[in-house]
Every structure is written in structure tokens, then in C-alpha cells.
Amino acid sequence: GENVEQHPSTLSVQEGDSAVIKCTYSDSASNYFPWYKQELGKRPQLIIDIRSNVGEKKDQRIAVTLNKTAKHFSLHITETQPEDSAVYFCAATLQKLTFGTGTRLTIIP
Amino acid sequence: GAVVSQHPSRVICKSGTSVKIECRSLDFQATTMFWYRQFPKKSLMLMATSNEGSKATYEQGVEKDKFLINHASLTLSTLTVTSAHPEDSSFYICSARDSGSGSMETQYFGPGTRLLVL
């Protein structure tokens, strides 16, 4: 089955700086890669996604890049704000979602 | 749009009892729903895929007789934890795919149910 690795597990960034989270996947057939933000005790919320026929996607301060050849994809958050602090999960899917291990992002005011 | 609800939000029960958790898609139809389990500070682990009108598909290592899933309508799936034990204590989250959406991959998550078995 699919295996998704995510790094780093924790990340602290000064407010206003950029944050980058990286994931790798194992199944080359996976074709959809969403990113979720989860606050403590809350549901995961989809923040951005990318499909395998696209290399990059941007939505305001958030961007995702996908390298199908290398089987890795990354989340980029620019101009970070305190409310960006949360746990972020990447995922890869063919028919079902396989989640990465999560990254706890802390924005330092 | 695309709202998924779960009930109850939290439950405390005695060891040996059964607990039912409901997952509802409020404004869309979902032929497929998913049940996840999440331990503290850990990732979401898929337990099973719930298919409307047919048997659920369980992931390896998940006991189907322990975690009963029923998906009787296009908007409701239930997960029953039978004969619950303290090790079943966890955060259970459901998700649903919008059957009428052009984006079949997107899953919408419920708010989760925190189960504590004493």
C-alpha cells in the first residue's frame, strides 16, 4: 500500500517568515495530494490540494509543489501569521487517503 | 456547503459496553464515507471505508466484529465500538466524499468523537 513520510515533525518559524513542509510518497499511481490543517481537538481542514497532472498550485499565502518523478510534494506558507500555528498533514490518494505523520508548526510572534 | 457532522462529540463509557457514533453529510449525498482513528499527537489512521448499501471494507488489522459499520443511507454512516475496552479510547473521525461533485477525491471531515472507556 501507499506510504507517506512527512518532515519535519516540528517546525518553529518567526512571524512573517516562510514555512516549508515536505512529504514523499511511495505509490506512483497516487494522483491526488491534499494538505490538511488540524487545530487541537478539531477536524482536519483542507487548505490546498494538487492533482498529479499539475506541478504547482497557489492560493494566496499557501502554495503546493509536486514532483511526480521524485514522488515528493511540499507545502509552502509565506508571510506566516500566529493563526497559522497548527498541525499540518499531507496525504496521498488513489482511492483512499494515506496521511503523513504530521508537522506541528509554531509561529513565534 | 459540504458539511459533515458527528454525534456524539464526546462519550465516556464503562468497559464492556457498546458505543455508537453517527456520521452525517448534511448538505450532500455520500455513497462513500471513511472512518479514521487518531491517537494523541499522532496521524489519522484509516480504519474502514463505508459504502452505502454494501459491506464496509476494513483496513488490515482492524477487527470488523469489533468495529461495526453501517451505511444505510446516502447521508448516514454509523460506527459501533462493541464491548469497548480502555485501549479503544481514541479520537474517531469520519469523512465523506461528495457523490455529486466533480471532485471525487475530496473528503470532508466530521468534527470527531472523543471516546473514553473507563
Side-chain angles (χ1 to χ4, degrees):
Chain A
E2 177 63 276
N3 181 49
V4 179
E5 295 188 357
Q6 184 172 345
H7 299 280
S9 57
T10 60
L11 178 62
S12 294
V13 173
Q14 207 72 34
E15 182 179 355
D17 288 350
S18 296
V20 180
I21 302 171
K22 298 183 179 182
C23 288
T24 61
Y25 61 100
S26 60
D27 191 340
S28 57
S30 289
N31 58 6
Y32 174 66
F33 307 90
W35 285 87
Y36 289 90
K37 175 183 180 182
Q38 187 180 30
E39 298 177 6
L40 188 62
K42 305 288 186 182
R43 78 184 81 197
Q45 292 192 308
L46 178 69
I47 56 171
I48 196 167
D49 56 12
I50 192 167
R51 289 175 172 78
S52 57
N53 59 346
V54 177
E56 186 173 355
K57 184 177 178 181
K58 189 174 182 180
D59 182 4
Q60 299 183 333
R61 297 187 297 111
I62 296 173
V64 57
T65 58
L66 171 65
N67 184 325
K68 281 185 61 179
T69 303
K71 289 188 283 188
H72 65 70
F73 55 115
S74 301
L75 176 72
H76 304 252
I77 306 175
T78 59
E79 300 171 27
T80 53
Q81 301 167 1
E83 51 265 36
D84 294 331
S85 295
V87 178
Y88 290 80
F89 292 99
C90 63
T93 187
L94 184 54
Q95 291 295 328
K96 55 189 181 183
L97 282 175
T98 300
F99 283 86
T101 47
T103 296
R104 182 172 298 279
L105 175 63
T106 303
I107 306 302
I108 305 166
Chain B
V3 177
V4 176
S5 70
Q6 255 180 268
H7 179 80
S9 58
R10 97 183 29 233
V11 57
I12 301 173
C13 69
K14 292 182 179 180
S15 188
T17 60
S18 294
V19 175
K20 180 186 282 189
I21 304 170
E22 293 185 349
C23 178
R24 293 181 186 273
S25 56
L26 298 185
D27 50 2
F28 64 97
Q29 294 185 330
T31 54
T32 304
M33 292 184 174
F34 302 88
W35 287 96
Y36 297 85
R37 185 173 181 177
Q38 186 176 32
F39 290 105
K41 298 185 179 182
K42 297 294 183 183
S43 188
L44 286 81
M45 299 299 296
L46 179 65
M47 298 174 66
T49 302
S50 172
N51 303 297
E52 187 269 335
S54 64
K55 290 183 179 180
T57 304
Y58 290 82
E59 294 301 299
Q60 192 172 10
V62 179
E63 300 175 58
K64 62 180 180 180
D65 295 330
K66 172 79 174 174
F67 300 99
L68 300 179
I69 291 172
N70 186 291
H71 194 153
S73 79
L74 287 171
T75 58
L76 173 65
S77 175
T78 61
L79 169 68
T80 301
V81 183
T82 62
S83 186
H85 290 286
E87 56 265 31
D88 298 323
S89 299
S90 190
F91 192 50
Y92 293 87
I93 309 177
C94 71
S95 71
R97 276 187 187 148
D98 184 347
S99 305
S101 167
S103 172
M104 281 298 291
E105 305 97 342
T106 304
Q107 293 185 25
Y108 301 96
F109 284 85
T113 297
R114 189 161 300 283
L115 170 64
L116 177 61
V117 185
L118 302 176

